[in-house]
């Protein structure tokens, strides 16, 4: 089994060193990656017993599902460029009893991801708290890498954001200001580099179905949302991929696609435990959500594989 250090090439210095930037600025043809969300070790038991604050003392089912996800990804041929987990890695909030054990067990599962498939971690509300502090974010960063960063793959620019700073930064307003300034700088860099596409990963969706829908627990507050949508639209961001909802959802705003993927772990709707396959071509970003059973037994459908073969 690979060591934690070998597999978890964590983001440091606001970038992901698994990809050598100079090699990745140029478009090299279609590729794909895997998006997962909300393995959230502990939620299934907590949800079943009706105690989401203290009922997360068991996560055997989530371990099995995460193992199934890793096994399905490892079987894929060709291999994905990376596997991104869009937040809520574990259920235990900062300072709660089972958190450290949940983190340990998730890492033990993820260590078995093939060494040629880098892991990209996104912070969720359960990872840093509904109202994060400098301390909770620092704890997350020590375990999983930077809470926001950018990286290039094959001429495509990827941005990972800490969406909790947009949900409630009341205990660390200076950290939200820092992320805002960094994001503006990164979007300016993307424009200078003439990247093929810009793609954003964050835990909380901008919206679930419609850009002007009411604010609730599962999306961002309307004024914050509007500001981000305008910023992304102006910069030419093609898609935002999120989790948090434990259901599949999505919509669009002025050509910006909002993709909400259901969970590897606990389902709160009618979807199956699953992963999203995302194919990036010269002209577009195509994706499909697969159940873990389907992806593990049948792999990627012919139509998406054919897109990967174009111009290669």
């Amino acid at each position: 089994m690979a060591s934690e250090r070998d597999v978890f090439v964590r983001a440091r210095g606001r970038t992901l060193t698994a990809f050598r930037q100079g090699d990745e600025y140029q478009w090299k043809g279609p590729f794909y990656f895997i998006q997962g969300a909300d393995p959230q070790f502990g939620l299934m038991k907590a949800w079943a017993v009706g105690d989401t604050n203290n009922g997360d003392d068991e996560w055997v089912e989530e371990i099995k599902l995460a193992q199934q996800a890793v096994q399905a990804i490892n079987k894929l041929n060709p291999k994905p460029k990376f596997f991104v987990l869009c937040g809520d890695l574990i259920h235990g909030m900062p300072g709660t009893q089972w958190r450290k054990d949940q983190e340990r067990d998730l890492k033990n599962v993820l260590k078995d991801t093939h060494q040629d498939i880098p892991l990209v971690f996104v912070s969720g509300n359960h990872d840093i708290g509904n109202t994060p502090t400098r301390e909770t974010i620092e704890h997350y960063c020590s375990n999983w890498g930077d809470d926001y960063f950018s990286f290039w793959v094959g001429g495509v620019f990827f941005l990972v954001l800490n969406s909790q700073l947009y949900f409630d930064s009341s205990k660390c307003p200076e950290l939200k200001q820092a992320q805002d300034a960094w994001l503006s700088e990164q979007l300016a860099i993307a424009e200078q580099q003439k990247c093929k596409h810009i793609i954003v990963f964050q835990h909380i969706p901008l919206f679930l179905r419609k850009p002007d829908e009411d604010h609730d627990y599962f999306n961002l507050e309307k004024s914050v949302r509007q500001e981000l949508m305008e910023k992304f639209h102006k910069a030419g961001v093609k898609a935002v991929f999120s989790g948090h909802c434990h259901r599949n959802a999505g919509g669009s705003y002025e050509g910006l696609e909002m993709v909400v993927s259901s969970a590897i772990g606990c389902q709160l709707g009618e979807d199956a435990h699953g992963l999203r396959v995302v194919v990036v071509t010269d002209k577009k970003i195509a994706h499909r959500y697969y159940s873990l059973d389907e992806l593990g037994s049948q792999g990627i459908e012919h139509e998406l594989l054919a897109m990967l073969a174009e111009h290669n």
Side-chain angles (χ1 to χ4, degrees):
M1 186 179 287
S3 73
E4 182 178 320
R5 188 179 61 197
D6 291 335
V7 174
F8 302 128
V9 183
R10 297 169 175 80
R12 300 293 186 207
R14 302 298 176 201
T15 192
L16 191 66
T17 56
F19 299 103
R20 294 163 59 96
Q21 278 193 201
D23 297 340
E24 298 292 345
Y25 286 141
Q26 300 303 315
W27 175 252
K28 301 171 185 175
F31 64 88
Y32 81 102
F33 62 86
I34 301 293
Q35 183 219 4
D38 303 275
Q40 205 159 340
F41 281 24
L43 176 58
M44 292 177 79
K45 164 74 183 306
W47 191 260
V49 301
D51 183 0
T52 55
N53 292 324
N54 302 299
D56 61 327
D57 59 345
E58 199 176 285
W59 48 91
V60 174
E61 285 303 311
E62 284 97 337
I63 288 174
K64 290 177 183 174
L65 290 163
Q67 287 172 334
Q68 189 180 357
V70 167
Q71 289 161 6
I73 291 168
N74 286 346
K75 284 168 65 175
L76 295 173
N77 184 30
K79 287 188 168 43
K81 286 288 187 180
F82 58 87
F83 171 28
V84 58
L85 274 169
C86 281
D88 279 3
L89 307 176
I90 48 131
H91 182 69
M93 288 280 191
T96 57
Q97 183 176 2
W98 306 107
R99 182 181 177 87
K100 190 173 289 187
D101 292 338
Q102 291 167 0
E103 288 176 334
R104 177 201 65 213
D105 287 352
L106 178 58
K107 287 178 182 178
N108 281 337
V109 173
L110 293 177
K111 281 178 193 174
D112 287 336
T113 308
H114 192 284
Q115 62 182 7
D116 292 339
I117 305 173
L119 292 158
V120 179
F121 298 112
V122 182
S123 63
N125 56 304
H126 282 264
D127 304 312
I128 59 175
N130 284 324
T131 305
T133 66
R134 181 176 288 275
E135 290 71 30
T136 65
I137 291 173
E138 285 175 353
H139 175 84
Y140 170 86
C141 293
S142 69
N143 263 301
W144 304 103
D146 287 350
D147 58 324
Y148 59 91
F149 56 95
S150 64
F151 61 99
W152 291 79
V153 176
V156 177
F157 192 45
F158 292 92
L159 291 159
V160 171
L161 298 180
N162 179 346
S163 58
Q164 215 56 37
L165 294 176
Y166 296 121
F167 192 83
D168 184 356
S169 63
S170 58
K171 291 187 177 177
C172 53
E174 74 285 358
L175 298 185
K176 178 186 181 295
Q177 291 167 6
Q179 178 173 250
D180 283 340
W182 173 88
L183 177 59
S184 295
E185 290 171 5
Q186 295 299 304
L187 293 174
I189 289 169
E191 186 176 9
Q192 292 167 5
Q193 291 286 347
K194 300 288 188 281
C195 59
K196 185 63 71 174
H197 304 292
I198 307 171
I199 295 173
V200 172
F201 299 123
Q202 60 187 56
H203 179 62
I204 302 177
L206 299 168
F207 56 90
L208 299 181
R209 299 289 182 190
K210 297 179 180 178
D212 61 349
E213 69 194 20
D214 290 341
H215 168 55
D216 64 23
Y217 178 78
F218 289 112
N219 60 22
L220 291 179
E221 191 274 321
K222 289 177 88 169
S223 64
V224 174
R225 179 196 315 167
Q226 190 64 37
E227 184 179 337
L228 280 172
M229 290 191 304
E230 287 295 334
K231 184 177 283 193
F232 290 162
H233 171 60
K234 185 178 178 184
V237 174
K238 288 282 179 64
V240 177
F241 288 87
S242 296
H244 189 52
C245 189
H246 296 255
R247 308 169 187 84
N248 286 312
S252 64
Y253 171 80
E254 302 286 347
L256 167 68
E257 186 178 11
M258 180 69 246
V259 184
V260 184
S261 294
S262 196
I264 294 170
C266 186
Q267 300 299 310
L268 301 184
E270 301 302 316
D271 298 293
H273 308 281
L275 295 164
R276 191 172 296 276
V277 174
V278 185
V279 175
V280 182
T281 73
D282 182 26
K283 295 285 191 289
K284 65 180 180 178
I285 296 156
H287 52 86
R288 191 190 146 198
Y289 185 85
Y290 289 82
S291 73
L292 297 180
D293 290 339
E294 184 183 11
L295 192 62
S297 62
Q298 299 174 30
I300 301 172
E301 66 191 82
H302 175 75
E303 185 180 352
L304 291 179
L305 287 174
M307 293 173 69
L308 287 174
E310 290 174 13
H311 313 302
N312 272 351

